[in-house]
Amino acid sequence: MLFNTIQFFAFFVAVTALFYQLPRGAARKYLLLIASYVFYGTWNWKFLPLLGIITLLDYFCALGVERLTEPRKRKAFLILSVGANLGFLGIFKYYNFAASNLAHGLGLPDDSWTAAIVLPIGISFHTFQSISYVVDVYRGEQKAVRNLGDYALFIAFFPQLVAGPIVRAAEFFEDYYTWRKPDVDEVLRGVLWMLMGLTKKMALADQFSQIADEYFGHLSAHPGAAAAWSGIFSFAMQIFFDFSGYTDMAIGMALLLGFHFPVNFLRPYLAFSITDFWHRWHVSLSRWLRDYLYIPLGGNRGGSWKTYRNLMLTMLLGGLWHGASWNFIIWGGYHGAWLSVERMLGRKKFMQTPGALLYPFRALLTFVLVCIGWVFFRAATFTDSIYVLRNMFTGSWDSASILVPVWLFCFVAIAFGIALAEEKWEWIERLPRGPAWAYAILLVALLFSVELLGVTEKAVPFVYFQF
Amino acid sequence: MKRAYPVLLGTLVVFLGLHALVFHSGLYAYWVNPSSSTGYLETILYHESIRPKNGPNQVVGVGDSRMALMPKHANAMTPETGYSFGTLGVAGATPRVWYYILRDADPKADRYRAIVICLDNYNDEDALEDLADRETDLSYLLNRLRLSDLNEFALSYHDRQRQWHAASTILFRGLGYKRDVEDLLHGPIERARTVRQSWRDSYTWFYDFQDTAKNLVGLEVDWEHRKVKFPEGLDHGLEEGILRRMVEPIPPQIGRHTHYMQLWLGKIAQHYARSQTKLIFLRLPRAAWIRPDLPPTNPNSSVHQLEKQYPNVVLLPEHLFDQLETPEFFKDEYHMTQPGLDRFTEILARKVREILGPAH
């Protein structure tokens, strides 16, 4: 059940209506839990037991970690939980990658030991959420949840189950235990977030996906620099509008149910450095990688070279988290290298917003660098990536080969203007408190955009669902 | 303090109001690409609305691209027949589309002395395609379908997804205009120019249109060996089309098309049930060469039933146009040459005069 389908809309309306009809307390909790399991089951009900097992395991491990006093035993429970989560992830996501590379290394056919494994949707997200919870309990930053239903809901809560944002237990349970009905402002914001997300997904991401798919699916049919740049520009737009559209919808839905999710995208293409980009792109993953990987590795505490090593390791693993392929590892390494370079040149330069004159050049350069990274992210193979890069930088320029129509550029320009205004005034948060007519105009514009420009012939899956 | 529901409800009302203004008032339909399915049908209806009509003796033909009535040629015979002819023929249109065209062109069922309905056969022969599931019908009728048609039109599709697609598009017409909007955004100035030119000049283009005289003379079919000898210099695509129509197996006859024709021809008949308008059905010249394995005549087909049921329904003799079923009068596997069309029109105009009697 994709967010951008009428089935999901009906499901969400029904669940929300029922939620507010039920008395506060257990009934609402179990409604959301059942709805979340139904939502997950519509993808593939066979993976429901897996979700249940991971939930039970981490629930008991966290209790064990909290109740035991002996450090060795506490650590054992932590290792059991983290190991099990990573084990499941490893089996489902990385087994075939490891097996085919090992076979290749031994001179055997790549598929010698591979198996037909279906990746459970959302496993990368909910296992990271589980790990963070048990680690937080181990660190004493979070109390172990006593009620299994409460914990199961934290893991399975349907708005963010399959593609985040990765919510910390403290954030979720703060809302959960002190739940209050959303006020007018929150309802209006919730609806606005949902509709903005839907517009981003259907009217922009899905439009750009057609161009990106055409380009990357038929590379030899589109030679030259103009086609290559428009192909990668389209993918850059697709992945941003797709993923941020999804999380906007998740945030909006959660808000309507009385939960406050962290913002996952802070206008990443306005970043003026790679360091700044990672403070704006997939914020909940960056935060997770920082708190549970980079800092435990030593962060920036061991001198320059160790800092660069930790940055590289974090980004390489971050790349691998996205998918089991060398291209994702290269993409992670590419970003890790730029983060290290920026750190080497002086962190402050890349953290503080440059002056108004310099900013556009820095932002443009950062966008180009990010686009180069996206080549590895999107291309099917390393060879394809090199082919695209070669075309981008050494191919001949023929304007007739530009794949993006002018009107789509115009919509990107509008989105760019909206992002700049949001960066300066944060008007999205403030709009519901402003005049009703302004709010209504925006909503009407979004509705028309979805109706007239949204790709509705088929529901296009979200890019991040594959991770 | 502001309340959420009034704001959201107000927004919805504004959206629906604007939506109705743009898509249900004909505002957008005016700017739709004349070459699109929607634009094409709108153009044909517009032509019929502006066609000079002298008096009540009006006859109009409906059908698809094979609709062979040429109004200009038929009207040249007005001194002889007394009747003026128009056409609502739309290439690719099906009986379902014909019904909605006639409903809008003649809402009170009183504008015409006769409607000539051109059929491929009188037997409700099943083809490979299930016409009930033809998606393009929705594109043609985008500006014609009303909210009150939602149930009937959507449920006339057999496929669930198509039912849903039709229902949602009737509710939100913008969904159906999506491609047209993209096309408009590609070149708004060019669109404006094309649209203006089409509204201004297309009536003459259509009315004066002369089809090719290039025919299929030289076509020979060896039915026994399922081989076709094509005329010299024929296009490869055309050869394939002829092969498909002349020698490939006919799909099994399961009665699917009967149900469809009963429904939509029945609705046309109902629309004219209490009117003075005659519904004249005819079988079009079938092809340049007639294969011997066609299904036998079905005396209980939809048109035969309608003839029995409604006094204003007339079936022209099934073999009236058989004389035109020769390579000389066909340009491809379905369509006639200009001489063929002219001959057809002459026969039809005289036959209509015979059925309707002298003009008033």
Side-chain angles (χ1 to χ4, degrees):
Chain A
M1 206 164 15
L2 293 164
F3 280 7
N4 50 331
T5 58
I6 196 76
Q7 290 88 335
F8 180 78
F9 178 74
F11 167 82
F12 179 70
V13 169
V15 169
T16 308
L18 203 55
F19 180 80
Y20 285 105
Q21 291 304 310
L22 292 172
R24 286 180 67 162
R28 286 185 175 183
K29 170 176 71 186
Y30 287 113
L31 168 74
L32 289 183
L33 189 57
I34 291 165
S36 299
Y37 270 70
V38 167
F39 172 74
Y40 196 71
T42 59
W43 297 103
N44 192 338
W45 62 268
K46 288 177 188 162
F47 288 124
L48 283 174
L50 177 72
L51 184 64
I53 288 167
I54 290 175
T55 304
L56 278 173
L57 183 90
D58 292 320
Y59 169 75
F60 285 114
C61 280
L63 285 176
V65 164
E66 189 180 69
R67 282 178 187 175
L68 293 168
T69 48
E70 201 179 322
R72 204 167 48 85
K73 287 183 179 169
R74 292 182 76 232
K75 201 162 198 169
F77 270 105
L78 174 71
I79 290 169
L80 173 66
S81 166
V82 174
N85 278 292
L86 293 179
F88 282 126
L89 201 57
I91 291 167
F92 285 104
K93 196 161 177 174
Y94 302 110
Y95 169 77
N96 277 340
F97 176 63
S100 63
N101 276 288
L102 187 62
H104 188 82
L106 294 172
L108 295 167
D110 286 4
D111 59 355
S112 299
W113 301 312
T114 55
I117 297 173
V118 178
L119 182 69
I121 195 159
I123 189 168
S124 306
F125 289 90
H126 68 71
T127 50
F128 268 36
Q129 202 155 298
S130 289
I131 290 171
S132 73
Y133 164 69
V134 181
V135 171
D136 285 352
V137 173
Y138 179 80
R139 287 172 175 171
E141 294 168 2
Q142 167 70 39
K143 282 191 172 175
V145 178
R146 296 288 182 272
N147 187 299
L148 179 59
D150 293 352
Y151 180 70
L153 182 60
F154 162 61
I155 294 300
F157 191 38
F158 70 87
Q160 44 80 247
L161 172 60
V162 290
I166 301 166
V167 181
R168 298 274 283 267
E171 293 164 338
F172 181 84
F173 286 112
E174 189 188 337
D175 277 338
Y176 182 75
Y177 291 131
T178 59
W179 191 89
R180 60 171 179 76
K181 198 176 171 185
D183 59 25
V184 175
D185 182 43
E186 286 168 330
V187 170
L188 294 179
R189 264 193 302 144
V191 172
L192 182 60
W193 276 111
M194 278 186 73
L195 206 49
M196 270 198 322
L198 198 65
T199 310
K200 281 181 176 178
K201 166 65 180 160
M202 293 179 74
L204 291 162
D206 292 352
Q207 290 283 357
F208 278 111
S209 85
Q210 294 175 1
I211 302 166
D213 290 351
E214 169 58 31
Y215 177 72
F216 283 96
H218 310 91
L219 286 176
S220 56
H222 304 287
W229 278 105
S230 47
I232 200 59
F233 175 79
S234 298
F235 181 68
M237 292 300 126
Q238 179 199 351
I239 195 163
F240 166 66
F241 286 122
D242 189 285
F243 194 19
S244 73
Y246 174 88
T247 44
D248 285 358
M249 279 189 268
I251 290 166
M253 275 184 268
L255 211 47
L256 291 175
L257 290 167
F259 292 85
H260 302 78
F261 283 174
V263 173
N264 216 14
F265 289 88
L266 291 162
R267 303 162 294 285
Y269 292 150
L270 298 183
F272 53 85
S273 66
I274 296 293
T275 307
D276 187 30
F277 176 78
W278 281 103
H279 284 112
R280 293 162 175 266
W281 180 273
H282 201 171
V283 177
S284 64
L285 177 68
S286 303
R287 195 179 57 165
W288 195 98
L289 291 171
R290 183 196 65 199
D291 293 349
Y292 301 100
L293 193 59
Y294 177 69
I295 292 174
L297 280 170
N300 55 5
R301 295 188 302 272
S304 298
W305 290 106
K306 278 194 175 166
T307 303
Y308 307 147
R309 181 203 66 185
N310 295 339
L311 279 170
M312 278 304 282
L313 271 175
T314 303
M315 294 312 291
L316 283 170
L317 288 169
L320 192 61
W321 175 86
H322 282 84
S325 95
W326 285 106
N327 263 25
F328 286 119
I329 297 172
I330 293 168
W331 173 77
Y334 171 82
H335 277 276
W338 277 116
L339 289 174
S340 301
V341 168
E342 290 183 355
R343 180 70 70 134
M344 211 179 287
L345 294 172
R347 195 162 187 258
K348 271 189 183 172
K349 279 186 208 163
F350 297 95
M351 291 287 289
Q352 285 171 355
T353 313
L357 275 176
L358 197 57
Y359 174 81
F361 298 103
R362 290 273 300 273
L364 184 64
L365 177 65
T366 304
F367 179 68
V368 169
L369 291 176
V370 168
C371 281
I372 293 169
W374 288 139
V375 174
F376 294 102
F377 198 95
R378 177 60 180 82
T381 62
F382 181 71
T383 318
D384 283 358
S385 310
I386 298 302
Y387 175 85
V388 175
L389 286 170
R390 198 182 300 132
N391 271 287
M392 282 164 72
F393 292 104
T394 62
S396 57
W397 185 272
D398 173 13
S399 310
S401 303
I402 295 174
L403 302 171
V404 184
V406 175
W407 67 267
L408 210 45
F409 270 126
C410 294
F411 278 92
V412 170
I414 293 169
F416 182 67
I418 290 171
L420 278 176
E422 172 67 3
E423 182 91 349
K424 200 169 166 66
W425 296 297
E426 293 192 334
W427 61 270
I428 293 174
E429 289 296 302
R430 292 184 356 203
L431 187 68
R433 292 193 289 271
W437 59 263
Y439 178 85
I441 284 175
L442 179 64
L443 240 57
V444 167
L446 293 173
L447 284 168
F448 270 112
S449 302
V450 170
E451 184 183 3
L452 294 173
L453 300 171
V455 175
T456 49
E457 289 82 11
K458 60 180 171 119
V460 183
F462 289 87
V463 174
Y464 263 68
F465 279 17
Q466 63 187 297
F467 307 137
Chain B
M1 188 188 163
K2 201 164 57 182
R3 301 275 308 270
Y5 294 121
V7 175
L8 292 173
L9 201 65
T11 304
L12 193 63
V13 169
V14 171
F15 170 69
L16 293 175
L18 272 174
H19 193 272
L21 181 71
V22 176
F23 296 118
H24 292 266
S25 69
L27 186 68
Y28 188 82
Y30 179 84
W31 294 103
V32 81
N33 186 347
S35 310
S36 66
S37 309
T38 315
Y40 178 31
L41 188 136
E42 291 303 313
T43 306
I44 297 294
L45 277 167
Y46 172 69
H47 291 170
E48 181 52 18
S49 73
I50 60 163
R51 177 170 66 85
K53 299 182 188 78
N54 302 316
N57 300 304
Q58 303 300 319
V59 177
V60 75
V62 292
D64 54 23
S65 63
R66 289 185 7 91
M67 220 290 287
L69 170 66
M70 301 301 280
K72 190 177 183 185
H73 196 66
N75 291 336
M77 296 168 68
T78 303
E80 179 191 341
T81 61
Y83 291 93
S84 290
F85 289 81
T87 178
L88 288 167
V90 174
T94 60
R96 177 165 50 193
V97 177
W98 303 345
Y99 164 68
Y100 291 102
I101 289 176
L102 285 172
R103 184 188 69 176
D104 280 15
D106 189 10
K108 291 183 185 163
D110 60 358
R111 287 195 183 155
Y112 302 103
R113 292 286 307 280
I115 311 286
V116 175
I117 301 172
C118 302
L119 303 174
D120 286 338
N121 58 68
Y122 283 170
N123 294 336
D124 302 337
E125 287 169 20
D126 281 321
L128 281 174
E129 182 194 9
D130 180 3
L131 280 191
D133 276 338
R134 187 179 276 199
E135 268 189 281
T136 47
D137 287 8
L138 182 62
S139 309
Y140 283 116
L141 295 168
L142 201 51
N143 191 45
R144 296 286 141 192
L145 292 167
R146 306 163 190 163
L147 290 178
S148 54
D149 296 324
L150 193 142
N151 198 37
E152 182 177 65
F153 184 85
L155 290 180
S156 70
Y157 283 91
H158 295 152
D159 180 79
R160 287 270 160 163
Q161 272 193 326
R162 286 180 183 157
Q163 288 179 351
W164 172 250
H165 178 58
S168 53
T169 308
I170 292 171
L171 278 173
F172 298 103
R173 278 189 189 171
L175 295 172
Y177 282 125
K178 220 178 276 289
R179 265 188 219 146
D180 192 77
V181 169
E182 283 175 23
D183 180 60
L184 173 69
L185 292 170
H186 264 294
I189 297 166
E190 174 63 16
R191 167 66 70 84
R193 196 186 60 76
T194 314
V195 165
R196 273 199 293 266
Q197 194 180 27
S198 173
W199 288 128
R200 193 182 61 225
D201 302 332
S202 65
Y203 177 78
T204 326
W205 301 338
F206 277 71
Y207 193 70
D208 291 342
F209 176 73
Q210 289 285 303
D211 212 324
T212 181
K214 197 175 168 192
N215 57 35
L216 296 179
V217 170
L219 178 83
E220 286 173 28
V221 181
D222 174 2
W223 177 250
E224 205 175 318
H225 299 97
R226 297 285 206 274
K227 290 234 165 88
V228 178
K229 183 181 165 243
F230 298 104
E232 286 289 314
L234 207 61
D235 176 75
H236 180 66
L238 210 53
E239 289 183 2
E240 280 187 349
I242 290 170
L243 270 177
R244 232 183 350 261
R245 185 141 165 87
M246 302 295 173
V247 295
E248 282 188 9
I250 291 172
Q253 300 298 302
I254 55 172
R256 187 177 57 191
H257 196 51
T258 304
H259 177 73
Y260 173 85
M261 295 296 265
Q262 277 171 345
L263 174 65
W264 294 107
L265 296 183
K267 284 193 70 68
I268 293 172
Q270 269 170 20
H271 182 65
Y272 287 99
R274 276 188 282 278
S275 88
Q276 301 295 313
T277 307
K278 287 246 184 281
L279 296 180
I280 302 175
F281 288 91
L282 62 88
R283 187 182 77 177
L284 287 160
R286 290 164 291 179
W289 182 82
I290 304 303
R291 52 193 296 165
D293 65 337
L294 289 174
T297 300
N298 173 7
N300 295 315
S301 69
S302 53
V303 277
H304 285 112
Q305 285 177 16
L306 289 176
E307 188 188 27
K308 287 174 201 156
Q309 203 177 339
Y310 295 94
N312 59 338
V313 169
V314 178
L315 258 61
L316 293 189
E318 200 171 359
H319 298 284
L320 182 65
F321 299 104
D322 284 6
Q323 55 187 295
L324 304 177
E325 292 173 339
T326 68
E328 185 194 346
F329 292 125
F330 274 81
K331 64 173 182 178
D332 59 31
E333 71 270 35
Y334 289 110
H335 303 101
M336 299 175 81
T337 57
Q338 188 60 45
L341 296 170
D342 289 344
R343 286 286 293 277
F344 171 87
T345 302
E346 287 159 23
I347 299 170
L348 179 63
R350 292 197 178 101
K351 198 71 189 172
V352 167
R353 159 71 178 74
E354 189 185 315
I355 291 166
L356 298 180
H360 296 158

